[in-house]
């Protein structure tokens, strides 16, 4: 990387080699693909959301390219906990397993199956914007968020990360409840509820009609959320939403993120994005005379 700066980061007990992480929902069901992403330079990888039972998801079309990013409504399709346990049974890379469910019992049941594997942390999907009875509907219920986080912390010694988004409740309140219930870190944000319509046919592009918007279009919103959460709640934050360049990653870290997750950029720049962004961060901190990438975290809070 050209200098001796320390690019590793600590996020609520999770230590990874650099601040770039594969976001949940992108390439995250096959262990061989996750391993390929890690070998391409990611600091860690997050699985697609795993539920206690297999989910088929929505019918196609489930993803459409829009100006500034992507609109998707996959429907949380995944093979279920038992199949994914078998998939990563012999993992030798740092996998963060993203979990989705409707009750604390579902989350605990899944943790008990994953905890003996090489899983370095759990991310709780409290913010999927387009599936009923899970995701945002869970994140919008502070009592349920608290119950899930407390149950998770009682059943694992591994870091628990709450992924929060923009639902009908205040994102700050969800993050605060998660922190007070024992969460080790926050991921902010998820996709934002959105829609696109084909003006020739009059039909919505997505089979589910409503989906989640990701990519460059949501970056300023995500940076704002990271800034407010990290400034007002004493908890590590992982930034997510529109990271396409090393400049974007640095901006998130200046706002208070200890690391960034990347998703939509992979659709445009494939796996080289991890090495390119890490290399750009390395050069930036060298130019600023810093010895560690962690020195970037929260600098904007001074102003």
């Amino acid at each position: 990387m050209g200098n001796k700066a320390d690019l590793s980061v600590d996020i609520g007990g999770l230590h990874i080699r650099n601040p770039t992480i594969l976001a949940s929902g992108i390439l995250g069901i096959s262990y061989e693909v996750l391993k390929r992403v890690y070998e391409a330079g990611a600091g860690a990888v997050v699985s697609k959301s795993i539920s206690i039972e297999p989910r088929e998801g929505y019918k196609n079309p489930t993803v459409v390219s829009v100006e500034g990013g992507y609109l998707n409504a996959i429907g949380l399709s995944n093979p279920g906990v038992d199949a994914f346990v078998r998939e990563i049974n012999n993992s030798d890379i740092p996998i963060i397993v993203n979990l989705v469910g409707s009750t604390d019992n579902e989350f605990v049941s899944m943790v008990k199956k994953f905890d003996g594997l090489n899983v370095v942390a759990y991310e709780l999907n409290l913010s999927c914007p387009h599936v009923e009875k899970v995701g945002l509907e869970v994140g919008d219920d502070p009592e349920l968020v608290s119950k899930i986080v407390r149950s998770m912390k009682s059943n694992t010694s591994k870091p628990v990360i709450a992924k929060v988004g923009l639902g009908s409740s205040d994102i700050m309140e969800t993050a605060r409840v998660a922190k007070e219930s024992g969460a080790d870190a926050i991921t902010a944000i998820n996709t934002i509820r959105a829609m696109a319509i084909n003006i020739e046919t009059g039909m919505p592009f997505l089979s589910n009609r409503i989906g989640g918007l990701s990519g460059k279009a949501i970056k300023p919103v995500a940076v704002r959320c990271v800034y407010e959460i990290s400034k007002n709640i004493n908890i590590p934050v992982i930034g997510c939403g529109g990271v396409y360049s090393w400049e974007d990653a640095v901006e998130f870290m200046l706002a208070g993120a200890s690391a960034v997750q990347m998703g939509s950029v992979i659709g445009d720049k494939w796996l080289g994005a991890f090495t390119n962004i890490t290399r750009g961060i390395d050069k930036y901190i060298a130019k600023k005379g810093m010895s560690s990438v962690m020195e970037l975290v929260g600098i904007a809070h001074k102003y």
Side-chain angles (χ1 to χ4, degrees):
M1 291 292 176
N3 65 32
K4 296 181 180 179
D6 182 6
L7 294 176
S8 67
V9 296
D10 291 292
I11 314 158
L14 172 65
H15 183 82
I16 59 176
R17 62 184 180 179
N18 71 59
T20 65
I21 303 173
L22 174 71
S24 179
I26 309 293
L27 306 176
I29 291 296
S30 161
Y31 172 68
E32 290 303 319
V33 173
L34 291 173
K35 186 172 184 177
R36 186 175 170 190
V37 175
Y38 182 70
E39 291 174 345
V45 295
V46 185
S47 75
K48 202 171 187 307
S49 292
I50 303 299
S51 53
I52 195 160
E53 298 291 341
R55 293 180 63 98
E56 186 175 343
Y58 299 132
K59 295 180 179 177
N60 286 321
T62 54
V63 181
V64 60
S65 176
V66 296
E67 187 172 356
Y70 293 94
L71 190 58
N72 88 82
I74 306 293
L76 296 173
S77 62
N78 76 90
V81 62
D82 291 331
F84 197 64
V85 164
R86 292 193 294 273
E87 181 70 22
I88 65 170
N89 189 42
N90 295 312
S91 167
D92 59 356
I93 63 171
I95 295 179
I96 300 168
V97 174
N98 183 296
L99 302 174
V100 68
S102 300
T103 69
D104 57 319
N105 288 336
E106 289 184 16
F107 283 90
V108 169
S109 175
M110 290 189 282
V111 164
K112 288 180 177 177
K113 296 187 178 186
F114 282 120
D115 227 32
L117 306 181
N118 187 27
V119 171
V120 295
Y122 298 101
E123 184 178 73
L124 311 179
N125 185 348
L126 305 176
S127 45
C128 176
H130 54 73
V131 179
E132 294 182 353
K133 299 181 180 178
V134 294
L136 268 181
E137 289 192 17
V138 174
D140 284 340
D141 184 340
E143 288 187 18
L144 185 53
V145 169
S146 178
K147 198 172 181 180
I148 290 170
V149 173
R150 290 181 189 280
S151 296
M152 288 283 297
K153 292 297 295 179
S154 297
N155 284 277
T156 182
S157 59
K158 297 178 180 179
V160 174
I161 305 164
K163 185 170 184 176
V164 299
L166 299 175
S168 59
S169 63
D170 181 357
I171 189 173
M172 294 292 292
E173 177 62 14
T174 306
R176 183 175 290 106
V177 167
K179 193 263 182 178
E180 291 174 351
S181 302
D184 299 288
I186 298 290
T187 297
I189 57 176
N190 207 320
T191 57
I192 296 176
R193 192 170 169 82
M195 186 177 191
I197 298 172
N198 186 324
I199 63 169
E200 295 300 326
T201 65
M203 296 172 60
F205 280 105
L206 298 175
S207 69
N208 189 57
R209 298 181 291 281
I210 305 293
L213 178 65
S214 65
K216 294 179 181 178
I218 71 170
K219 196 194 82 174
V221 178
V223 170
R224 183 270 295 178
C225 292
V226 167
Y227 178 87
E228 290 187 333
I229 292 170
S230 61
K231 187 173 177 63
N232 296 293
I233 302 173
N234 184 26
I235 189 169
V237 179
I238 300 171
C240 183
V243 175
Y244 270 67
S245 66
W246 68 262
E247 291 95 335
D248 295 332
V250 166
E251 185 178 356
F252 268 100
M253 297 190 79
L254 295 175
S258 298
V260 294
Q261 292 187 358
M262 295 153 53
S264 297
V265 64
I266 295 170
D268 293 339
K269 300 184 178 180
W270 196 226
L271 300 184
F274 290 100
T275 296
N276 290 337
I277 289 176
T278 302
R279 184 180 293 125
I281 296 171
D282 188 33
K283 290 181 178 177
Y284 177 81
I285 60 176
K287 186 178 73 173
K288 294 293 185 181
M290 298 176 180
S291 59
S292 167
V293 70
M294 292 296 288
E295 293 178 51
L296 287 175
V297 179
I299 285 178
H301 295 177
K302 299 176 183 176
Y303 307 103

